[in-house]
Amino acid sequence: MNIYIKYDEEITRGDELTIPETCDKSLELLQKEFLKWMFDKDVDHKYWKVINDVKVYCEYDSTAFVDWLNSNVFIQGEKASVLKKDIETDNKDFEVLYF
């Protein structure tokens, strides 16, 4: 399935992703699990902005979500991918996740 990732409800642009339909979890649950992982300071990942050896905040985009999906959900078989970045999100058939 194709979905849009957007960063603000007021902005009409976003990223288009394709997600395998083999997962029995909802997109909202996947997003919740991703965000929990992303902001868990016990988890070391490349998205942390570290200042003076302290994890301060995360810098991420739709690619981070896809990387997490492919490492934690779609480990074997089909993979999620970013199809297009910064495009008009005008296909009303696509679900939208806001980050």
Side-chain angles (χ1 to χ4, degrees), residues 26-73:
S26 71
L27 288 174
E28 291 77 16
L29 180 58
L30 291 172
Q31 179 185 32
K32 183 178 178 179
E33 290 176 358
F34 165 73
L35 292 172
K36 182 178 178 183
W37 170 84
M38 177 63 68
F39 293 100
D40 182 347
K41 290 192 175 188
D42 292 330
V43 176
D44 292 322
H45 54 63
K46 64 184 179 181
Y47 307 105
W48 280 112
K49 179 66 175 175
V50 178
I51 300 173
N52 296 325
D53 295 325
V54 176
K55 294 175 183 172
V56 180
Y57 60 91
C58 296
E59 296 178 317
Y60 67 97
D61 63 5
S62 61
T63 303
F65 183 52
V66 165
D67 290 346
W68 178 85
L69 286 170
N70 291 335
S71 296
N72 295 280
V73 180

Side-chain angles (χ1 to χ4, degrees), residues 3-6 15 87-91 94-97:
I3 67 167
Y4 290 133
I5 298 292
K6 294 176 74 173
D15 300 341
I87 61 166
E88 285 297 324
T89 55
D90 52 7
N91 188 329
F94 289 6
E95 288 190 54
V96 178
L97 286 181

